[in-house]
Amino acid sequence: MGKKRLLLAEDDELLAGLLNFRLEKGGYEVKLSSDGREVKEHLTTYSPDLIISDIMMPYFSGMELIDYVRKELNLSTPIIIISSAGNEENVLTAFELGANDFISKPISPSELLVRIERELQKV
Amino acid sequence: MISEFLFYEEDASKDEKSNYVNLKIEIRQLLKDDFNRKVLSEVLLDLRKDVSGDTQKRLFKLYQDLGLHTDNFEKLKSWRWEVVSKAILNLTQMQVSEAYSFVTKFINHKRATIRKQAELAIVTLKPEGINYFLDTTKYRISEWQQLKLMDVLRNEEDYQPPRFKAWLTSTNRHVVLFALRLIKFYNQNDADAALIELVKHKNSQIKEEAIACIKEFRIVEAIPTLKLVFWKSSTDVKISILGAIGALGDESDIEFLQLIEKKEANFSVRSKAHSSINAIAPGSIMPSKGVVKSDKYTIPADIKIKVEEEEELEEINIETSSEIELSIDSVEEIEQINDFKEQEIEEGTDIELYLMNETIDSKQETIDNEVKTDAMKENQESLNQENNEPVSKELSLQENETLSFDFLPLVVEEVLETEIISPKEEAKIDLNDIVVNYQEVTIEKEKPSLEITEEEIAFLPIVTEMIEESYVVDSIKDQSEHIAFINEIEITFEEVSSTPKDLNVSPLLDYSEYSTAKILDTTVVYDEILERDNEDQIDPYFLSVSPDSPQEDTMDAKSNVHHESSKSYDNMESQEEQNFKKIIKDLIDFNASEPSEETDKETQDWPWLEFGDEFVDTSKTSEIDSEEILDEQENDSDAEIEEVPAKVKLTIPKAVLSDEIFDEIIEYKENTEESRMQLLDDLAEMGDERELPLLNELLVNEKYTTVKDRVKSLIEKFSEQEEKPEPDTLLKPFNVFEDLFRTCDTEAKLILMDEIVAVGDEGEIDFLEGLLENQETEISNKAAQVLEELKAKLSISDENNSDESPSTPIDNKAVEKIEVLIEEETLAEYDSLMEELQIQPPQTPEIFDLTFELTEPFEETADENTTEKSSSQESFFGQICAFSNKIIDKLNG
């Protein structure tokens, strides 16, 4: 069984690098994207098992990305949203648009791994 | 690389371990460069914000392992506040607990930024940091800072807060305030007493916070304190207090809240008081402001009730209400008749009663019929007349809730009640009659027959029934007996009220009198008791006013209280008359001095206090005495004028007892040996040689040998006093110059000696002779010169005095001579002074040679001012000369 492919969309390079390191170390194949447009491009050529996205990104926000995946691409790929703007409104909107999970920053990489594992098991 | 460090696991493979070790070596090498250190530090600080949990802990550990925190320690020594502040922040963010001791010294830093950063740091770094902070901080803690600190504490894991009541006694009011907030936040309800005390704090913020705590912890014991501090508090505090009372109070506090409602000027406090009252007793105060009266709400004309039955009912309601008014009028009529009937019955016989009942019943029957028909004919047509409750039932069925038919069912209910009760309450026949009328209506409704039955007669009346009862009771007695009966009741009441007083006060009262006494009699007796009370109360004061009472044995006073008081009272009355006559005589004959008039007036107003005044107010009597003495001695010789006041001054405190007073005392006082001895003691204590004639008189008249001996000893004592010279004459007179000489230098001393010639007298001769032996030759020479001049001056004045006869008044010529001499001397002195001071006065005062005449007063004063300014010295001497002239003029009358 091959590695699960993850798409990580995070504009903060430090955090992205850290998470990338941890996720790869956790046995996942990770594609990094630093903005929303790049994520769109990736998605046209690459179909991940799970998408991890920040909300606030250049060009395309995390919310728009959910909407794009669910409505335009009609994909049921699990989406985990990570954001420092963990207010109720964002969380509710994200779930309404079709996000599978929401993690507020600061995030614990260990926790993220557990959540990814859980979502992948659902699929 | 950082990720490798952060996510390194102990159970890693050998390759990973070797890689980890290599990275460690590499990073150590890199960190030798300051820039790299800085970059790595920034990266770690940045990552700290994004990661949490175990990764964050590893991050903190890595930060310290790499020794990056030491850079911050170095920065703490910086003199730049922003560097220090940043360093404290970094250490705090990276949880470097070692930094705690370094940061604590910044807790009272003069710069607020560093101080606040340090506060947050120590609270964050160690749980006990808050204790240290609250103990040591001297500065104010801003609201924002308090929030930040609370946020830090709130986010502490496994935090065990200290008991913050420990800081309620802090002298820093900000600490107290913060402690209060923490107490509230952590629900520490063990500081009730301190919280109650803090309600009295002068700071409103602390007050409010304490009140909030009290409210939160429901400290009911604080309510009295809250009430106490309420009136002196600010509006916000008042509202808080009212909120607390509303939450904690009970019905006993409503009175206080109502008082606030009346007294408080501020409307918001008043409305808070309302809400508090409603909080304690819900619904006790309804909203009134802006609420339109229900009368003004009318149903619009265009909205008609569609159901015909409802319309009918509305009409019925209106009509019946008007009919009821009519029926009430008729009831009043019946009442009048009933009253009349009552009177008749009181006087009359059974036959009369029967007849009256018959007539009344017939009349009432017609009225009842009217009422019945008017009130019921329209809406009761469909009702079953034998049913008691059809009205209410039918109305409820018709759903006419807005129309008030309440009176109808009420009537039915009350009928039954009053039927039972009314016979028992015959005495209260006023408003009940109205109810009775309704009763009739319904009864007739029940029993529609229009015939007058016995039941109706029995009912009619309350009046009739009462009459019957009273008739039974009083049938044997006549009217006067009836009134007597009432009087008896009242007398019994009086007897009860006066009994305890009788026991205490007067044995003279005969209890048997009370049984027959009328009300007026009893009040008279009571008045007598009051008088006796007053007398008894006055007695002690009265005795104290009497001359011998202050030293009188209290036991004796008690034993003779009544006797002596009555006796002295009689004496006083006679003395009052005498005094009054004396006063009138004085007013007519003698133009008395003002103080004596005052005392006379006082004695007129308060004759029984006459002795007391003379004893107590010694100053007044001494004034009178001194004036009398003055008058006498003025007649004797004018030469003694100056000596007498001095003598009087010395004797004033002792001259207390005059002959008159003593005579009065003798008259008043019982002629006992003991009392006389006491008087003589008083004399010995307060009297002087002026009491000698009196004592001699006493010696002659006295029959007791002991008293005689005492009088003799007193005479000896006072005669010795008389012979003694006045002590103050031996005293050396106070010398102004001598006093001044002690403090001034040689030059000033020389000037002063010149002044001695000008103003000195023989008193200065001794002083000058003393100065002759002074070590400084200048002063001794000058003293010799001044002494000669002074002696010469005094000899001239002596000659002048010897020329004039001492017994005759001062002659005008002599006065003129003295005036000339003074002028000459002062001018000579003035010249010498001018020479010494090297001042050149204008030789010819041209300024005084005015070519015009001064007429306007304003111009005069202006001119005077200018002269004073130009030559103040000259005007000063002029004033002295003028003053001497004035004195001489006065002496000449």
Side-chain angles (χ1 to χ4, degrees):
Chain A
M1 191 179 166
K3 284 184 180 177
K4 293 284 181 183
R5 290 176 296 179
L6 305 176
L7 178 63
L8 178 62
E10 171 62 65
D11 60 334
D12 184 354
E13 286 181 22
L14 271 173
L15 184 63
L18 190 82
L19 291 175
N20 185 33
F21 180 85
R22 186 72 189 89
L23 291 172
E24 281 181 351
K25 201 181 176 186
Y28 297 103
E29 185 187 312
V30 182
K31 277 269 183 198
L32 266 174
S33 299
S34 58
D35 59 66
R37 193 169 55 186
E38 204 176 323
V39 174
K40 266 192 178 181
E41 286 171 8
H42 273 296
L43 283 172
T44 52
T45 57
Y46 180 77
S47 60
D49 295 315
L50 190 138
I51 300 167
I52 304 157
S53 174
D54 190 8
I55 288 181
M56 284 178 283
M57 287 188 298
Y59 306 112
F60 259 107
S61 77
M63 297 298 178
E64 285 170 312
L65 180 68
I66 302 166
D67 193 55
Y68 175 75
V69 170
R70 293 282 181 261
K71 297 212 172 142
E72 291 194 21
L73 299 177
N74 289 318
L75 294 172
S76 59
T77 314
I79 301 172
I80 295 172
I81 296 291
I82 50 172
S83 176
S84 55
N87 54 44
E88 192 184 5
E89 188 188 350
N90 279 342
V91 174
L92 291 175
T93 312
F95 279 111
E96 278 171 17
L97 290 171
N100 294 70
D101 208 346
F102 193 104
I103 302 171
S104 292
K105 284 183 187 175
I107 56 169
S108 164
S110 311
E111 186 187 338
L112 180 65
L113 281 171
V114 172
R115 287 183 188 265
I116 290 167
E117 188 66 33
R118 194 184 67 174
E119 288 302 322
L120 288 172
Q121 277 179 359
K122 281 182 189 173
V123 175
Chain B
M1 189 185 285
I2 295 162
S3 304
E4 286 282 350
F5 282 112
L6 288 177
F7 299 116
Y8 172 75
E9 301 289 338
E10 292 294 324
D11 56 347
S13 62
K14 278 186 180 178
D15 293 340
E16 280 180 351
K17 279 184 179 175
S18 62
N19 187 32
Y20 178 72
V21 172
N22 288 333
L23 280 172
K24 263 195 168 178
I25 295 161
E26 191 184 346
I27 206 164
R28 298 269 175 210
Q29 290 295 322
L30 285 169
L31 287 175
K32 284 176 182 172
D33 183 18
D34 282 347
F35 179 75
N36 289 338
R37 286 179 77 89
K38 201 175 176 182
V39 169
L40 186 61
S41 181
E42 291 293 322
V43 167
L44 291 178
L45 283 165
D46 193 28
L47 272 176
R48 180 211 150 268
K49 284 184 271 184
D50 293 328
V51 295
S52 65
D54 187 53
T55 314
Q56 197 183 47
K57 284 176 185 169
R58 282 166 182 252
L59 192 75
F60 295 153
K61 194 168 180 291
L62 178 66
Y63 186 80
Q64 291 178 56
D65 283 346
L66 298 174
L68 297 173
H69 64 294
T70 53
D71 298 347
N72 290 310
F73 291 154
E74 289 299 316
K75 283 180 188 172
L76 287 177
K77 294 170 187 170
S78 171
W79 56 272
R80 292 167 67 97
W81 65 267
E82 68 272 22
V83 174
V84 177
S85 184
K86 180 77 178 168
I88 297 169
L89 178 65
N90 290 344
L91 291 166
T92 314
Q93 284 180 337
M94 299 314 285
Q95 297 280 329
V96 186
S97 52
E98 293 169 37
Y100 180 81
S101 56
F102 293 94
V103 176
T104 48
K105 64 182 176 186
F106 294 103
I107 203 88
N108 284 316
H109 197 276
K110 61 182 176 183
R111 192 170 282 275
T113 316
I114 294 175
R115 197 168 64 233
K116 286 174 183 173
Q117 206 65 64
E119 288 167 3
L120 287 171
I122 64 160
V123 174
T124 312
L125 294 175
K126 282 191 178 179
E128 63 267 29
I130 185 73
N131 304 13
Y132 180 83
F133 162 63
L134 290 172
D135 281 335
T136 54
T137 189
K138 295 175 188 168
Y139 291 85
R140 67 184 292 268
I141 313 163
S142 68
E143 295 287 315
W144 177 249
Q145 185 69 2
Q146 287 183 26
L147 285 171
K148 295 269 279 178
L149 289 165
M150 283 179 84
D151 190 51
V152 169
L153 293 172
R154 193 168 55 88
N155 291 319
E156 288 268 345
E157 287 173 11
D158 302 327
Y159 178 65
Q160 291 295 319
R163 309 313 291 179
F164 290 108
K165 68 174 180 180
W167 290 281
L168 291 179
T169 52
S170 173
T171 49
N172 185 342
R173 64 185 172 90
H174 298 281
V175 170
V176 177
L177 188 63
F178 189 39
L180 281 169
R181 285 171 177 165
L182 289 166
I183 283 170
K184 195 168 71 173
F185 183 77
Y186 287 104
N187 292 319
Q188 297 179 346
N189 58 354
D190 55 346
D192 293 4
L195 288 174
I196 292 166
E197 277 304 298
L198 282 173
V199 172
K200 299 175 201 163
H201 203 280
K202 60 185 175 184
N203 184 281
S204 293
Q205 254 188 320
I206 291 174
K207 253 188 206 175
E208 280 190 61
E209 208 60 49
I211 292 161
C213 287
I214 284 165
K215 197 176 167 185
E216 180 89 11
F217 305 141
R218 303 198 67 80
I219 306 169
V220 184
E221 300 80 42
I223 289 175
T225 315
L226 290 174
K227 287 178 183 176
L228 188 75
V229 300
F230 177 84
W231 300 107
K232 279 201 167 184
S233 301
S234 66
T235 305
D236 287 344
V237 177
K238 279 179 179 174
I239 289 169
S240 303
I241 289 171
L242 290 173
I245 292 173
L248 310 177
D250 53 22
E251 286 179 1
S252 62
D253 302 314
I254 289 176
E255 196 181 342
F256 173 73
L257 295 169
Q258 283 169 343
L259 189 71
I260 292 163
E261 190 193 332
K262 285 174 191 168
K263 301 254 176 179
E264 183 61 42
N266 191 298
F267 75 95
S268 51
V269 178
R270 278 204 308 273
S271 41
K272 186 68 185 174
H274 287 160
S275 69
S276 296
I277 292 169
N278 274 343
I280 295 167
S284 53
I285 295 176
M286 298 305 285
S288 58
K289 194 162 188 177
V291 175
V292 182
K293 285 183 179 176
S294 53
D295 310 346
K296 294 186 178 177
Y297 286 103
T298 52
I299 299 164
D302 53 338
I303 300 170
K304 294 283 180 188
I305 300 166
K306 289 173 184 175
V307 185
E308 284 182 7
E309 287 175 357
E310 285 177 355
E311 281 178 4
E312 276 181 14
L313 281 168
E314 200 173 346
E315 283 171 17
I316 291 159
N317 186 28
I318 296 156
E319 282 178 15
T320 47
S321 62
S322 61
E323 291 303 327
I324 287 158
E325 284 174 12
L326 286 168
S327 67
I328 288 164
D329 292 337
S330 61
V331 165
E332 283 173 4
E333 218 174 326
I334 293 165
E335 216 170 38
Q336 286 173 359
I337 294 159
N338 285 342
D339 291 338
F340 175 65
K341 194 164 74 175
E342 197 176 33
Q343 287 175 1
E344 287 289 315
I345 289 159
E346 280 173 2
E347 293 171 359
T349 61
D350 288 336
I351 300 157
E352 277 177 357
L353 171 69
Y354 177 74
L355 289 170
M356 282 306 295
N357 279 342
E358 212 169 33
T359 51
I360 289 160
D361 289 344
S362 60
K363 188 159 187 177
Q364 195 159 7
E365 180 202 343
T366 55
I367 294 158
D368 292 342
N369 286 335
E370 274 177 25
V371 172
K372 186 195 75 178
T373 49
D374 288 334
M376 300 297 172
K377 63 183 176 184
E378 286 187 36
N379 68 334
Q380 298 295 323
E381 276 175 1
S382 60
L383 289 175
N384 183 1
Q385 290 184 344
E386 291 176 3
N387 190 359
N388 278 338
E389 301 172 350
V391 180
S392 59
K393 278 184 179 175
E394 196 164 302
L395 287 171
S396 63
L397 287 167
Q398 286 170 349
E399 295 177 356
N400 194 354
E401 289 174 7
T402 53
L403 300 172
S404 173
F405 282 88
D406 293 342
F407 71 98
L408 285 172
L410 277 173
V411 166
V412 176
E413 286 170 9
E414 285 188 18
V415 166
L416 298 168
E417 275 182 13
T418 48
E419 258 187 327
I420 302 157
I421 296 162
S422 58
K424 295 175 183 176
E425 296 181 348
E426 297 107 333
K428 301 173 185 176
I429 315 159
D430 285 322
L431 294 169
N432 284 343
D433 285 353
I434 298 163
V435 181
V436 168
N437 192 28
Y438 283 121
Q439 185 183 1
E440 277 183 355
V441 172
T442 52
I443 282 169
E444 285 190 354
K445 194 169 65 187
E446 287 172 2
K447 296 174 181 178
S449 73
L450 297 173
E451 290 175 13
I452 303 160
T453 60
E454 281 186 10
E455 282 174 18
E456 278 183 325
I457 296 164
F459 153 74
L460 264 182
I462 295 183
V463 174
T464 54
E465 285 186 15
M466 188 207 101
I467 290 158
E468 281 172 8
E469 194 178 338
S470 64
Y471 197 74
V472 170
V473 172
D474 297 329
S475 58
I476 307 157
K477 300 173 182 177
D478 59 14
Q479 200 172 356
S480 62
E481 278 178 61
H482 188 81
I483 294 158
F485 174 70
I486 295 158
N487 283 339
E488 273 177 25
I489 293 161
E490 287 180 11
I491 287 160
T492 312
F493 174 73
E494 283 292 328
E495 197 174 7
V496 170
S497 66
S498 59
T499 306
K501 287 169 187 169
D502 295 339
L503 290 169
N504 290 331
V505 182
S506 176
L508 300 171
L509 290 172
D510 188 6
Y511 288 99
S512 61
E513 284 176 12
Y514 278 108
S515 58
T516 53
K518 289 178 183 176
I519 297 161
L520 279 172
D521 291 341
T522 50
T523 50
V524 169
V525 171
Y526 183 67
D527 285 344
E528 281 174 7
I529 294 160
L530 277 174
E531 267 189 14
R532 287 188 174 282
D533 268 336
N534 290 338
E535 274 182 20
D536 288 346
Q537 284 171 359
I538 289 162
D539 278 342
Y541 297 105
F542 191 78
L543 284 169
S544 70
V545 173
S546 68
D548 55 342
S549 63
Q551 294 178 2
E552 200 169 34
D553 190 2
T554 50
M555 289 301 288
D556 291 338
K558 277 182 184 174
S559 61
N560 296 320
V561 165
H562 197 77
H563 176 69
E564 281 195 7
S565 63
S566 59
K567 191 180 173 183
S568 57
Y569 194 77
D570 293 336
N571 273 335
M572 288 303 151
E573 282 177 352
S574 60
Q575 281 170 14
E576 188 184 357
E577 271 181 35
Q578 286 172 6
N579 285 329
F580 188 68
K581 283 174 186 174
K582 189 185 166 189
I583 290 155
I584 291 165
K585 194 184 172 187
D586 285 348
L587 284 169
I588 295 161
D589 296 335
F590 182 66
N591 187 15
S593 59
E594 206 174 321
S596 62
E597 270 185 5
E598 279 178 9
T599 48
D600 287 341
K601 280 173 189 170
E602 280 179 16
T603 52
Q604 191 180 352
D605 292 335
W606 302 96
W608 55 87
L609 289 172
E610 189 184 10
F611 297 148
D613 281 344
E614 284 171 356
F615 263 88
V616 175
D617 196 352
T618 51
S619 62
K620 278 188 178 176
T621 50
S622 62
E623 275 176 33
I624 298 159
D625 290 345
S626 64
E627 280 175 18
E628 284 171 7
I629 293 158
L630 269 171
D631 289 339
E632 285 170 12
Q633 293 190 353
E634 269 178 357
N635 292 330
D636 292 343
S637 81
D638 288 326
E640 287 178 21
I641 288 168
E642 287 182 7
E643 290 176 21
V644 169
K647 192 179 171 184
V648 170
K649 277 178 191 170
L650 282 168
T651 55
I652 280 167
K654 292 182 178 180
V656 177
L657 294 170
S658 66
D659 294 355
E660 282 177 26
I661 297 162
F662 194 73
D663 289 337
E664 282 167 0
I665 294 163
I666 298 294
E667 275 177 26
Y668 166 68
K669 187 64 205 165
E670 287 180 5
N671 287 326
T672 60
E673 186 182 352
E674 190 186 344
S675 61
R676 291 204 169 207
M677 285 301 283
Q678 280 174 359
L679 273 171
L680 290 169
D681 287 340
D682 292 345
L683 270 175
E685 196 180 332
M686 296 183 283
D688 62 3
E689 67 274 11
R690 285 175 296 155
E691 268 72 48
L692 281 170
L694 174 74
L695 290 166
N696 287 323
E697 194 184 331
L698 274 174
L699 191 66
V700 174
N701 297 330
E702 191 54 59
K703 51 188 177 182
Y704 298 108
T705 50
T706 49
V707 177
K708 270 186 176 180
D709 292 340
R710 178 71 176 149
V711 171
K712 278 176 188 172
S713 66
L714 278 177
I715 288 165
E716 281 173 20
K717 184 185 168 187
F718 290 147
S719 54
E720 277 173 19
Q721 276 183 9
E722 200 176 26
E723 285 164 9
K724 276 182 189 173
E726 291 300 329
D728 65 333
T729 53
L730 296 170
L731 289 172
K732 196 181 174 182
F734 175 71
N735 196 327
V736 179
F737 294 103
E738 196 173 355
D739 193 45
L740 287 168
F741 254 75
R742 284 178 205 151
T743 51
C744 60
D745 58 356
T746 315
E747 266 186 43
K749 282 175 183 174
L750 292 169
I751 294 164
L752 271 171
M753 279 193 280
D754 289 332
E755 291 300 317
I756 290 171
V757 181
V759 295
D761 55 14
E762 65 271 15
E764 269 72 44
I765 292 169
D766 290 338
F767 170 60
L768 287 168
E769 282 171 349
L771 285 177
L772 290 173
E773 294 165 6
N774 199 302
Q775 289 177 349
E776 288 180 46
T777 50
E778 273 183 28
I779 291 170
S780 57
N781 291 338
K782 183 74 180 176
Q785 187 194 335
V786 168
L787 191 61
E788 279 179 19
E789 283 177 10
L790 187 64
K791 279 179 177 172
K793 177 189 156 190
L794 290 170
S795 64
I796 292 163
S797 60
D798 284 341
E799 280 174 20
N800 288 329
N801 286 336
S802 61
D803 289 345
E804 294 161 8
S805 60
S807 56
T808 53
I810 299 163
D811 198 3
N812 276 344
K813 285 180 182 178
V815 169
E816 279 174 13
K817 276 182 184 177
I818 292 163
E819 190 183 341
V820 169
L821 273 169
I822 290 166
E823 275 180 12
E824 281 174 7
E825 279 180 14
T826 49
L827 283 169
E829 193 58 36
Y830 166 64
D831 290 338
S832 64
L833 193 66
M834 288 296 113
E835 277 173 23
E836 275 186 27
L837 296 170
Q838 294 180 343
I839 296 166
Q840 192 72 32
Q843 293 298 318
T844 52
E846 291 171 359
I847 198 159
F848 292 110
D849 297 334
L850 302 173
T851 54
F852 55 90
E853 215 171 277
L854 294 169
T855 51
E856 293 290 324
F858 172 72
E859 284 173 7
E860 268 183 21
T861 53
D863 208 39
E864 277 172 18
N865 287 336
T866 51
T867 52
E868 274 178 20
K869 281 175 187 173
S870 61
S871 58
S872 60
Q873 288 288 339
E874 204 165 343
S875 66
F876 173 67
F877 282 107
Q879 280 179 3
I880 291 169
C881 296
F883 184 65
S884 62
N885 283 334
K886 280 179 188 172
I887 293 165
I888 292 155
D889 289 341
K890 276 195 174 178
L891 286 168
N892 292 330

